[in-house]
Amino acid sequence: MSSFSLLYFGQPLLDISAKVSVKVLKQYGLNSNDMILADESHQPLYKEVQDHRNVTYLAGGSCQNSARGSQWLLPANSTCYVGCVGRDDAAKKLREAAHADGLRVEFVVDESLPTGKCAVLITGQDRSMVTDLQAASKMSAATLESNEIWSLVENAQIFYTVGFLLKGSHDAIMKVAEYSSANNKVFAFNLSAPFLPEVFREELAQVIPHCDYLFGNESEAKAYAKANNLKTSSIRDIAMHLAKIPRANASSPPRTVIITQGPDPVIVATIHGVKSYIVPQVRFSDIVDTNGAGDGFCGGYLAALAVGKSTRLCVRSGLFVAGEILKQEGATYPKTAPHSKPWDEFSIEGCCSLQ
């Protein structure tokens, strides 16, 4: 496997995490288990969290979470992540956090805006997340055109990005998607959030024909069905519809659509049919935090794909990584990766089987 065969591009955020009192939530008008975009009233919050004695920093953003998950399982120099940051201390912390996870990052610096960040406020088992995108929102086709960044694109075999980039960075998605289709490489995409298929329906319609792998969860799949008048709520039917959308390159292999449903079976569709894979149950007492489990699933799936594994073993790898994240605080991974990989046939008993 060549160096950096997996290339992720997304919206890098410095996650600033601390345990806080309910009083802090009330002060900023926040709910205990929520995710919002910051406005001016939230700006003092970031310094308050950074000054907390137990503050921790994490290389965040959903796409970067997935990239760290892939790299956790793969040999060194397998995964690279591209995004936009500011020229500030937050960018330095973000690089340090990514490097601590073995992830190579190539950040394009936007001189006009600070690095994006997310305040993660922990109260008990709940997390309130307040995101300020700033420079992270500045990814564009022009961002990718420098020799240093585009050489990474040319050397990679698998690309992955997320629906959040449909807003403001659609041209960047299309540049890589079109290149991938024209050069018989692998392009993977995540629907990311239920509001995106409706708000960015036309932009998404341009992306899907280029997708070799399309990820989403049941809420996102149903939102896509509603936005596109499919008149069905069956996840299997929606997945099959997505699989049958014609490819941009008629000679490309069939698209694989992967829909997760929390503890319910994972649905996988191609034009040849639909399969469902049983999700191994994690004891409730072992679950620390559900944040990032979906990101981990994609990272695990793509890691197995990068080493040439079958769909079943890719799903198995994704479920294993998602299960490990459930047992951690935040979207983090154990310091040591398993010696026996989840795609090894006999590594993890009963980790994934057909329903």
Side-chain angles (χ1 to χ4, degrees):
M1 182 174 58
S2 61
S3 292
F4 308 117
S5 63
L6 268 167
L7 182 62
Y8 289 76
F9 59 107
Q11 296 176 326
L13 301 172
L14 179 65
D15 281 358
I16 309 165
S17 178
K19 294 180 179 179
V20 302
S21 67
V22 174
K23 181 180 177 181
V24 173
L25 300 184
K26 290 181 178 178
Q27 179 183 346
Y28 290 96
L30 303 171
N31 297 318
S32 61
N33 198 21
D34 204 359
M35 180 186 297
I36 67 166
L37 289 176
D39 59 33
E40 285 300 317
S41 70
H42 298 115
Q43 293 310 311
L45 172 64
Y46 296 97
K47 185 176 187 310
E48 185 172 339
V49 177
Q50 284 179 292
D51 289 342
H52 200 283
R53 59 187 175 87
N54 292 319
V55 65
T56 59
Y57 296 97
L58 186 69
S62 65
C63 189
Q64 195 165 198
N65 290 340
S66 296
R68 292 188 296 108
S70 291
Q71 187 56 65
W72 181 60
L73 291 176
L74 292 170
N77 299 337
S78 297
T79 304
C80 185
Y81 175 82
V82 173
C84 293
V85 298
R87 190 179 297 282
D88 52 22
D89 186 59
K92 180 182 177 182
K93 286 186 171 67
L94 189 50
R95 288 186 178 92
E96 290 171 350
H99 292 161
D101 285 329
L103 176 65
R104 175 179 170 180
V105 293
E106 290 295 336
F107 290 145
V108 178
V109 176
D110 185 293
E111 301 287 355
S112 64
L113 290 171
T115 298
K117 51 190 179 292
C118 179
V120 183
L121 311 176
I122 305 168
T123 52
Q125 291 186 322
D126 292 330
R127 274 162 174 70
S128 184
M129 304 172 72
V130 185
T131 299
D132 190 7
L133 289 172
Q134 297 287 354
S137 67
K138 293 302 181 179
M139 171 76 74
S140 67
T143 304
L144 303 172
E145 288 172 356
S146 72
N147 290 335
E148 185 175 11
I149 300 300
W150 194 250
S151 66
L152 292 170
V153 175
E154 291 177 330
N155 289 325
Q157 299 303 313
I158 301 172
F159 308 105
Y160 176 84
T161 191
V162 294
F164 295 116
L165 270 71
L166 291 170
K167 179 182 180 181
S169 302
H170 178 247
D171 63 335
I173 297 174
M174 292 306 298
K175 186 174 182 68
V176 175
E178 289 169 355
Y179 168 83
S180 182
S181 290
N183 290 274
N184 297 311
K185 296 190 176 185
V186 174
F187 183 77
F189 185 79
N190 198 312
L191 295 175
S192 296
F195 75 90
L196 291 168
E198 181 176 357
V199 177
F200 299 101
R201 187 173 66 85
E202 292 183 6
E203 291 87 345
L204 182 58
Q206 294 174 36
V207 174
I208 291 177
H210 297 280
C211 292
D212 294 280
Y213 292 85
L214 181 61
F215 294 90
N217 63 31
E218 75 276 23
S219 298
E220 294 152 6
K222 289 178 180 179
Y224 174 87
K226 182 179 179 182
N228 289 273
N229 262 335
L230 297 193
K231 302 188 186 310
T232 181
S233 60
S234 164
I235 300 301
R236 296 175 70 93
D237 291 346
I238 298 166
M240 178 55 78
H241 171 88
L242 289 165
K244 287 182 175 179
I245 293 173
R247 298 300 312 267
N249 182 343
S251 65
S252 297
R255 177 180 304 110
T256 300
V257 178
I258 307 103
I259 306 297
T260 59
Q261 305 183 92
D264 294 328
V266 176
I267 303 300
V268 178
T270 70
I271 57 172
H272 302 302
V274 182
K275 294 180 179 179
S276 60
Y277 295 88
I278 296 171
V279 176
Q281 298 303 302
V282 178
R283 287 197 304 262
F284 181 78
S285 59
D286 289 340
I287 297 176
V288 176
D289 187 0
T290 60
N291 178 39
D295 301 334
F297 175 86
C298 295
Y301 189 105
L302 293 174
L305 182 69
V307 294
K309 298 304 177 180
S310 67
T311 296
R312 182 178 72 85
L313 294 178
C314 287
V315 172
R316 182 183 193 180
S317 179
L319 290 172
F320 171 75
V321 176
E324 288 300 300
I325 285 187
L326 290 174
K327 301 170 188 175
Q328 317 297 317
E329 280 199 359
T332 59
Y333 301 90
K335 291 188 177 182
T336 304
H339 176 72
S340 182
K341 301 303 181 188
W343 52 74
D344 294 337
E345 280 289 353
F346 304 105
S347 62
I348 302 166
E349 188 69 26
C351 187
C352 180
S353 56
L354 278 170
Q355 188 179 41

